[in-house]
Amino acid sequence: MKLYNQLSKKVETFKPLDPENVKIYTCGPTVYSYAHIGNFFSYIYWDLLVRVIKLNGWTPNRVLNITDVGHLASDADDGEDKLEKGAKREGKTVYEIADFYTAAFLDDYRALKLTEPDQLARATHFIAQDMDLVDRLTEKGYTYETSDGIYFDTSLFKTYADFARLDLENLKEGARVSKNPEKKNPSDFAVWKFVREGEDHAMQWEYKGRPGYPGWHLECSTIVHELLGEPIDIHAGGIDHIPVHHTNEIAQSEAVFEKQMARFWIHNNHVTIENQKVSKSLGNTYTLEDLEEKGFLPLDFKLWVLQGHYQGTRNFNFEDLVAAKNRRLSWKNRVAKTFQMEIESTFDRTKFLEMLSDNLASPEAFAYIDASELNYDDWDYVNQAFGIFGETQIEEVVDLTAGEKEIIARREEARKNKDYEKSDELRAELEKSGITIKDTPSGPLWQYML
């Protein structure tokens, strides 16, 4: 299997340290609002990663974190905590906000038929471990204290700039990081934040004799260490995490544990919507519910995402989503056909898996599906790779109701009796349910209407 590795900035051959325990960590949501479709790009592509690992005969052990504290509005070390912001917006407690939007995220996650993580880790469940990690960093001499928190001194971690190829010499505060006159270096970051006098912060824990909360970057290092252990095989996330979040994770983890944090780092690229940056102020942060109100299923969106490569930039628009919906329905009809007649397969599963194992090349795999004839077992294999149909079995793809099956039988009887008027009436009745009939020499072939 090959993957692009941010560590080497090239595609490398990936082999797990232990095929029975492939350790994967994927950055999860900050649960202060509904996840929009741009957020789900990562989860769809890393679902593909997990599925391809399984098809290669390995056993993934995937942790997905839930950020329910400490993610400040700037993604760095200043601004309001996003959970606090959500609580004020809705007049709820931060804990109610976290619980509600975690549940909403998981509902959407499951609607997309994404593989359940082996472990779901909420940041607030690891506060004591966060404190221990800060203690260990301090004992090793990597931290210093300011009026607003405990900071990691990046000048002491000599390879800090390597991962993102940062120009630390010319780094300007306010561009990548927050302005703070007490920081020794512009790139230094908080591993623990103190609640300052007059600051409204409901989530706080006593540490060093003062109330505070963990820095956003710290939670991932803590969770990786506690649930997986270093080194993990793959750490995945969005490309926007490279210069700050993932760079800081590497620094604090490798400084304190003196081991490589992850062997492979992979990132999905940006998405725009109607050629604009995804922004709430522009009103283009569509949720899956928004798409459903416009007549699209979550799986239409999932298929649209997988039509492009995870490293490519993508522009979402509804014209392309319509095309993806039609593609899904055409695939659904091809599956239905395998239940009604014998299909002589031209589909090579080994070739298909080789495509997906070459840096998750889903667009090439899609093109191969479209150019091949697939029988029922082939479609079941495709479903294992993409989760486009049912959870594990594709029978539910062609689950006609008993009433629809009865109408098809009655229509065939009417045709035998040359009662074509009745036959047409029954055809029209079926079409109201989105089912159409194609008459063939070997009998009627039903399909879903596009």
Side-chain angles (χ1 to χ4, degrees):
M1 186 173 173
K2 296 179 180 179
L3 292 172
Y4 181 86
N5 191 355
Q6 177 64 22
L7 290 174
S8 62
K9 281 78 174 178
K10 64 182 181 181
V11 175
E12 294 181 353
T13 298
F14 168 76
K15 289 184 179 179
L17 292 174
D18 179 359
E20 298 302 315
N21 181 26
V22 185
K23 296 188 287 187
I24 305 167
Y25 183 84
T26 54
C27 286
T30 301
V31 286
Y32 72 108
S33 185
Y34 289 108
H36 58 69
I37 59 174
N39 300 138
F40 277 105
F41 267 66
S42 291
Y43 310 118
I44 290 171
Y45 282 127
W46 308 146
D47 175 68
L48 175 63
L49 170 68
V50 169
R51 290 172 180 274
V52 172
I53 283 173
K54 287 182 178 180
L55 290 178
N56 273 280
W58 304 326
T59 304
N61 178 11
R62 179 195 179 189
V63 172
L64 175 69
N65 74 307
I66 299 291
T67 298
D68 55 0
V69 67
H71 191 168
L72 304 185
S74 69
D75 286 359
D77 297 319
D78 65 354
E80 188 175 17
D81 185 299
K82 292 187 176 183
L83 270 293
E84 299 283 349
K85 184 177 179 180
K88 291 175 183 177
R89 181 188 65 232
E90 300 186 21
K92 299 177 180 178
T93 70
V94 285
Y95 293 98
E96 289 171 336
I97 288 292
D99 289 344
F100 180 84
Y101 286 112
T102 296
F105 168 77
L106 292 174
D107 285 344
D108 286 346
Y109 188 96
R110 289 159 184 154
L112 288 163
K113 306 294 185 186
L114 302 180
T115 307
E116 293 284 329
D118 298 281
Q119 302 181 78
L120 191 68
R122 291 182 66 152
T124 49
H125 292 178
F126 293 84
I127 300 301
Q129 295 90 333
D130 288 335
M131 294 178 184
D132 179 65
L133 198 156
V134 176
D135 284 342
R136 294 171 71 171
L137 282 169
T138 300
E139 289 168 7
K140 288 176 176 287
Y142 280 101
T143 69
Y144 60 92
E145 190 170 319
T146 71
S147 62
D148 76 329
I150 299 172
Y151 282 78
F152 184 96
D153 187 341
T154 57
S155 68
L156 301 179
F157 190 75
K158 300 306 179 184
T159 59
Y160 180 79
D162 293 357
F163 184 69
R165 292 178 176 168
L166 298 173
D167 181 3
L168 296 181
E169 193 71 27
N170 296 304
L171 184 66
K172 294 181 180 179
E173 286 187 308
R176 172 189 168 273
V177 292
S178 59
K179 295 180 181 179
N180 185 334
E182 296 183 72
K183 286 166 61 171
K184 294 181 179 180
N185 311 287
S187 55
D188 293 352
F189 59 93
V191 291
W192 188 267
K193 292 283 286 184
F194 295 130
V195 178
R196 290 174 287 190
E197 187 175 350
E199 183 180 358
D200 183 17
H201 203 285
M203 285 185 169
Q204 53 182 268
W205 296 264
E206 196 75 16
Y207 179 62
K208 300 280 189 183
R210 295 178 61 180
Y213 52 93
W216 173 42
H217 317 297
L218 191 73
E219 69 171 275
C220 293
S221 291
T222 298
I223 292 169
V224 165
H225 180 70
E226 294 294 326
L227 299 186
L228 295 172
E230 299 80 11
I232 63 173
D233 290 289
I234 300 171
H235 193 310
I239 196 172
D240 53 311
H241 287 159
I242 292 174
V244 181
H245 186 46
H246 288 172
T247 290
N248 291 350
E249 279 187 55
I250 290 171
Q252 62 199 7
S253 286
E254 298 188 3
V256 71
F257 300 120
E258 299 180 358
K259 294 180 182 179
Q260 184 180 36
M261 185 183 190
R263 298 170 55 234
F264 277 72
W265 290 77
I266 62 175
H267 301 84
N268 63 284
N269 214 324
H270 293 294
V271 59
T272 57
I273 295 182
E274 302 288 358
N275 294 307
Q276 293 180 305
K277 180 182 177 180
V278 182
S279 169
K280 288 185 178 180
S281 63
L282 294 174
N284 64 356
T285 54
Y286 300 115
T287 64
L288 292 183
E289 184 178 359
D290 292 333
L291 298 188
E292 290 188 81
E293 289 175 357
K294 293 179 180 293
F296 300 97
L297 295 180
L299 292 178
D300 297 327
F301 173 69
K302 181 180 184 181
L303 192 142
W304 178 81
V305 172
L306 292 172
Q307 286 179 164
H309 193 265
Y310 78 93
Q311 287 183 283
T313 55
R314 303 293 302 283
N315 177 56
F316 173 86
N317 60 67
F318 285 99
E319 291 79 7
D320 289 345
L321 187 59
V322 169
K325 176 180 180 178
N326 288 338
R327 188 180 210 170
R328 183 185 63 81
L329 290 174
S330 70
W331 283 9
K332 192 174 180 180
N333 278 333
R334 291 174 65 186
V335 174
K337 191 175 180 180
T338 67
F339 283 81
Q340 300 173 75
M341 62 195 315
E342 289 290 327
I343 303 294
E344 186 174 346
S345 175
T346 62
F347 183 77
D348 186 331
R349 295 181 208 176
T350 300
K351 183 177 180 180
F352 174 74
L353 181 56
E354 286 174 351
M355 291 177 181
L356 290 179
S357 298
D358 186 3
N359 202 25
L360 307 180
S362 52
E364 288 81 353
F366 273 34
Y368 182 62
I369 292 169
D370 288 340
S372 304
E373 290 292 338
L374 283 73
N375 60 27
Y376 171 86
D377 290 334
D378 296 331
W379 281 112
D380 185 65
Y381 193 75
V382 166
N383 192 47
Q384 291 177 50
F386 297 128
I388 291 296
F389 304 124
E391 295 290 349
T392 55
Q393 297 286 326
I394 60 171
E395 278 89 345
E396 61 190 82
V397 177
V398 290
D399 188 21
L400 290 183
T401 66
E404 289 165 346
K405 292 175 183 177
E406 181 187 359
I407 292 172
I408 291 173
R410 287 167 54 202
R411 180 181 176 277
E412 189 62 12
E413 184 66 25
R415 290 186 72 250
K416 287 180 181 178
N417 296 330
K418 300 187 184 301
D419 187 350
Y420 298 116
E421 183 177 350
K422 184 63 175 178
S423 172
D424 289 343
E425 288 177 5
L426 293 168
R427 176 197 288 273
E429 189 173 343
L430 276 173
E431 289 178 350
K432 291 178 182 177
S433 301
I435 305 294
T436 187
I437 295 289
K438 180 180 179 181
D439 295 311
T440 72
S442 57
L445 179 68
W446 62 263
Q447 294 185 315
Y448 296 96
M449 297 172 67
L450 297 180

